Amino acid sequence: MSQPLIGASTPARRLALALVICGALGSFGALWWTCSRNPEVYFLPRLAPAQWITWAAVPRATLNARVELATVFRRSFTLDQAPRAATLSVAGLRRYALAVNGRPAPTPEQSARTWKQPDRFDVHGELQAGTNEVAVTVWNSNGPPALWASLDLGGRRLDSDETWQVSCAGAAWRQARLAGKPKPALAGSAAYGGEEPWASLRTRWATLGLFAALSAAAYWLFNRLAGPALVGSASASSVAARLLRSDFLPVFVLGLVWVALFVNNLGMLPNLVGYDVDSHQAYVQFIQQHHALPRADQGWEMFQPPLYYALSAGLLDVLSLSARQDGGVMALRVLGMVIGIAHLMLVWACLRLVFPGERAAQRSGLVLAAAMPPLLYVSQYVSNEGLAAALVSACVFLTLRMIKQERLSWTSCAGLGLCLGAALLAKATALVAVPAVLAALLWKAWVGTAKAAGPGARLVLQLGAIVLICAAVCGWHYGRLWAQYGSPLIGVWDPRLGFSWWQDNGYRTSGFYLRFGSVLAHPWFSSFSSFADGIYGTLWGDGLLGGGADAVARPPWNYDLMAVGYWLALVPTLALLVG
């Protein structure tokens, strides 16, 4: 029989569920408020009755230079007579100039606080009987210019939609496109092409059938050999059964499978395949050559915390290799494989704590983790992602162990603090694990105090020790960034580093977060369509093609099988959502 992780009463569990729900709703509410109000967040809020429009451009996975180009939106219309009242509301991403019938618009009657809210103009004196034209020139250097406009003529309204015309930087006039509408990848564009699930299924059904048969045979054989052995029997089947019931065997077998896969791929993957691989290599090479850490503005990835790069440089120095050499790249990929296998062992250890005594659940979870595409392909790229993810999993494991303990020990707190610090020293995104870990420990303490007088002062000191040790391990890096750039969190998206760029779409809309489905028809670069499609595309396959900018220069994966995998992955996705 498995025991719950925390022996909490039913009221306590209900309170925990209520706190989780309230926390989630509060977080989403704060995020939505920030997106709708903060002018530095390029989110186009929904404003009735018009829609945001932009110029129709082909989506590109490459970077766009931060150059301010003028984009003109215009709309012509006819009036039988000059209106007695006419109110024009205009908002533009990021600044605009309004002209009515070729004349600059008057001062707005009501000015908005930010570009996300419309200014209101009284334009009845600018309109005339016959043909009229409203033209709005919009400038934006950090994304495509976008316009929201609504003209109220009393009994008639003209809103920004796809009937408007648009010209970017003096180009030919074209019909505007709704900003919330996904950009289609047109034939001939870099993001167009690639295998599709249905066509791949028709060509690779025999291979899939063979895999299904092998899986079924392995499952049957495993259950057959792992059945109850006769007491005192020394037969080969009994020995095999005891071996198959070994807790460590699944990790060992999956580790061997991983090693075989990596050995097969080492000579096939080009050196420059992977997300920003050239920039990661430059970071390692800088440490090797200068025996010092670079400034964040000295390279594309050099804002990253240094743990992975220092370890990589040390390994290559021991082997007398360079990050640019074939042997150096191979050594870093072997390091990634070792980190990935260690990550699998951490997942297995977590599963043993969450499902004590439930071997089926433990092994199912381990097989799922071992087959997760991100863990597989990230581990084969030169990147700090794998180390950061493994260290976060280590933090989860230590937290679960501490939750299982009757009383928190100082040794456990010190270990967790060190692990959190190391994770933050591998990648700044590990910061999301800190509040979750501390909240879990606080909850354990609260449940414990409901049964007996709890060590309130001791708990505060222990949590404080975790935070202080974490800060001691990684704080110097973030303090260095703060001293140099005025912020502990900075990246190449920040103009202070001197990198000037933006990436399509250049903005977000509510529809981007509410859609899903295009990944099932065209998996590659599906993040152009929606957030959910992008997450699904990278969770169940290498949907961004190793960070490449087009569908031609991509890693040599089996894309036919990967494309079909997006359909097959609907089953585990639904299982994960259901819980």
Side-chain angles (χ1 to χ4, degrees):
M1 293 293 290
S2 63
Q3 298 297 323
L5 221 50
I6 298 177
S9 62
T10 300
R13 291 179 180 175
R14 290 176 180 172
L15 177 59
L17 180 60
L19 290 174
V20 170
I21 294 174
C22 291
L25 292 177
S27 299
F28 282 119
L31 178 63
W32 186 260
W33 188 92
T34 300
C35 291
S36 301
R37 301 293 180 179
N38 189 344
E40 300 305 318
V41 177
Y42 278 27
F43 179 85
L44 304 180
R46 187 183 297 272
L47 302 172
Q51 301 184 71
W52 290 91
I53 57 175
T54 186
W55 50 284
V58 176
R60 301 187 305 166
T62 53
L63 305 182
N64 299 282
R66 188 175 291 189
V67 179
E68 190 173 66
L69 298 177
T71 300
V72 182
F73 298 84
R74 72 182 183 185
R75 175 71 157 83
S76 298
F77 55 95
T78 303
L79 297 176
D80 295 334
Q81 58 184 12
R84 295 183 178 180
T87 301
L88 178 60
S89 301
V90 180
L93 172 67
R94 170 119 190 188
R95 64 186 183 92
Y96 70 88
L98 172 64
V100 180
N101 289 329
R103 297 185 296 273
T107 303
E109 286 187 326
Q110 181 178 343
S111 297
R113 293 183 177 180
T114 70
W115 63 265
K116 296 191 174 187
Q117 299 297 322
D119 300 320
R120 299 186 185 279
F121 299 85
D122 182 2
V123 295
H124 80 278
E126 312 298 322
L127 300 178
Q128 60 192 14
T131 302
N132 295 268
E133 182 184 80
V134 173
V136 185
T137 304
V138 185
W139 293 271
N140 184 16
S141 63
N142 196 28
L147 171 70
W148 183 97
S150 179
L151 176 60
D152 186 358
L153 298 168
R156 182 182 177 188
R157 183 183 296 277
L158 295 173
D159 299 323
S160 51
D161 54 25
E162 291 183 317
T163 62
W164 286 59
Q165 291 184 310
V166 58
S167 172
C168 179
W173 290 97
R174 302 175 64 182
Q175 296 302 118
R177 184 184 64 85
L178 296 180
K181 190 175 180 180
K183 293 180 180 180
L186 303 179
S189 66
Y192 181 82
E195 290 76 4
E196 296 182 351
W198 175 239
S200 298
L201 179 62
R202 288 183 295 176
T203 58
R204 300 301 295 270
W205 64 267
T207 303
L208 291 169
L210 176 61
F211 285 165
L214 291 175
S215 299
Y219 180 77
W220 175 84
L221 182 63
F222 181 87
N223 287 334
R224 177 85 173 179
L225 296 178
L230 296 175
V231 178
S233 174
S235 65
S237 61
S238 300
V239 174
R242 286 194 292 271
L243 178 63
L244 289 172
R245 285 199 296 272
S246 170
D247 288 339
F248 189 74
L249 181 63
V251 182
F252 179 75
V253 172
L254 290 172
L256 289 179
V257 173
W258 263 55
V259 170
L261 178 64
F262 274 66
V263 169
N264 176 77
N265 292 347
L266 273 178
M268 300 175 63
L269 285 179
N271 286 353
L272 293 180
V273 165
Y275 297 91
D276 297 327
V277 58
D278 185 63
S279 300
H280 291 299
Q281 289 175 325
Y283 198 149
V284 176
Q285 191 171 37
F286 184 97
I287 296 177
Q288 285 188 279
Q289 292 176 348
H290 298 87
H291 302 288
L293 298 179
R295 287 173 55 93
D297 57 5
Q298 290 182 287
W300 186 257
E301 288 289 343
M302 292 182 182
F303 71 94
Q304 298 276 10
L307 181 58
Y308 169 79
Y309 307 98
L311 291 175
S312 298
L315 173 64
L316 295 181
D317 285 342
V318 170
L319 298 175
S320 299
L321 294 171
S322 167
R324 301 291 189 184
Q325 293 176 317
D326 292 345
V329 173
M330 185 173 295
L332 294 181
R333 285 179 172 164
V334 171
L335 174 62
M337 178 192 70
V338 173
I339 293 172
I341 293 176
H343 196 170
L344 284 181
M345 296 182 68
L346 287 168
V347 171
W348 172 68
C350 291
L351 291 167
R352 284 167 58 87
L353 291 174
V354 176
F355 303 106
E358 298 185 37
R359 290 187 175 180
Q362 296 171 14
R363 290 174 174 176
S364 298
L366 180 62
V367 171
L368 177 62
M372 289 297 289
L375 190 56
L376 283 167
Y377 63 73
V378 167
S379 297
Q380 298 181 67
Y381 297 151
V382 178
S383 171
N384 62 337
E385 298 279 357
L387 178 61
L391 288 171
V392 169
S393 293
C395 294
V396 173
F397 167 69
L398 292 175
T399 304
L400 291 173
R401 280 192 61 189
M402 294 169 72
I403 290 175
K404 296 278 283 186
Q405 294 172 354
E406 290 293 330
R407 190 179 187 185
L408 298 184
S409 68
W410 289 101
T411 303
S412 298
C413 293
L416 180 57
L418 286 170
C419 198
L420 280 173
L424 285 167
L425 206 56
K427 193 172 178 65
T429 49
L431 184 64
V432 298
V434 176
V437 164
L438 296 180
L441 296 178
L442 282 171
W443 175 251
K444 168 186 168 57
W446 187 87
V447 172
T449 57
K451 296 180 178 180
R458 177 187 172 91
L459 173 66
V460 171
L461 290 174
Q462 288 177 324
L463 294 182
I466 293 173
V467 175
L468 287 176
I469 294 174
C470 173
V473 173
C474 67
W476 61 270
H477 165 73
Y478 294 98
R480 178 171 174 255
L481 290 179
W482 203 338
Q484 292 174 343
Y485 305 102
S487 173
L489 298 175
I490 197 166
V492 288
W493 59 86
D494 197 311
R496 285 175 291 184
L497 293 188
F499 301 99
S500 184
W501 61 279
W502 59 274
Q503 200 165 16
D504 286 346
N505 291 316
Y507 57 82
R508 291 289 179 253
T509 64
S510 58
F512 178 78
Y513 296 99
L514 299 176
R515 288 190 297 265
F516 177 74
S518 69
V519 66
L520 300 177
H522 187 77
W524 324 115
F525 299 111
S526 57
S527 54
F528 283 124
S529 177
S530 76
F531 178 79
D533 286 315
I535 293 295
Y536 190 91
T538 52
L539 179 64
W540 299 112
D542 198 354
L544 292 178
L545 305 181
D550 57 63
V552 177
R554 61 185 189 176
W557 305 134
N558 294 310
Y559 287 97
D560 277 333
L561 296 176
M562 191 185 295
V564 180
Y566 285 110
W567 282 7
L568 301 178
L570 286 172
V571 176
T573 299
L574 292 175
L576 290 171
L577 291 175
V578 171

